[in-house]
Amino acid sequence: MKRRAYIGLGSNLGDREGRLRTAVSALGKTAGISVAAASAIYVSAPVGAAEPQPDYFNAVVAIDTTLAPRALLDALQRIEHDAGRARVAGERNTARTLDLDILLIGDMTIDLPGLRVPHPRLQDRAFVVLPLLEI
């Protein structure tokens, strides 16, 4: 079954705009995913960072997917890894080459370890809400 999902994209290391564009392209090349729309790129200050960091470039992409939620998360994490993202257990709000978050999947509500949909802090983050509203 095909569902509309919304993915938040962020990068604050290296070629931030290039990483976001590459991520959108990688999403479109992933089996079971087609990109339906992409927002403009927004710039935002890091949230909750313990140390100074560069600003983030953020966007939101609407996709249509036949992937199950966990398979979608796995696909997003592969794209992050390919962009040089190194996940460290327990670390939050750190600088990163690429961050891809599932914001919404249709009208689904999911509360599993490592996967919560809608994204638990979606409404608190203008850098997600504004591009989401745009598309």
Side-chain angles (χ1 to χ4, degrees):
M1 175 160 115
K2 189 180 283 193
R3 291 185 183 94
R4 174 67 50 102
Y6 295 88
I7 309 300
L9 296 82
S11 174
N12 76 335
L13 293 177
D15 178 7
R16 298 168 291 179
E17 182 175 346
R19 288 192 197 283
L20 296 187
R21 294 192 189 291
T22 299
V24 173
S25 177
L27 283 167
K29 293 176 184 173
T30 301
I33 295 175
S34 62
V35 175
S39 74
I41 294 174
Y42 292 73
V43 179
S44 65
V47 174
E51 298 179 10
Q53 297 179 16
D55 285 344
Y56 273 88
F57 280 27
N58 300 100
V60 170
V61 175
I63 64 169
D64 294 316
T65 184
T66 57
L67 297 177
R70 184 64 72 177
L72 177 59
L73 178 63
D74 291 344
L76 298 181
Q77 290 180 345
R78 278 192 301 277
I79 293 169
E80 288 177 337
H81 180 268
D82 291 348
R85 168 96 186 254
R87 289 183 173 274
V88 178
E91 281 193 6
R92 296 180 55 102
N93 304 319
T94 59
R96 55 199 68 164
T97 56
L98 184 64
D99 186 33
L100 301 176
D101 290 326
I102 300 171
L103 304 174
L104 300 162
I105 304 174
D107 61 357
M108 296 179 79
T109 300
I110 302 167
D111 191 0
L112 299 170
L115 179 59
R116 291 180 60 200
V117 177
H119 190 282
R121 291 172 302 283
L122 181 141
Q123 71 279 359
D124 299 327
R125 302 203 165 151
F127 62 82
V128 174
V129 173
L130 292 174
L132 186 59
L133 288 172
E134 178 189 328
I135 59 172

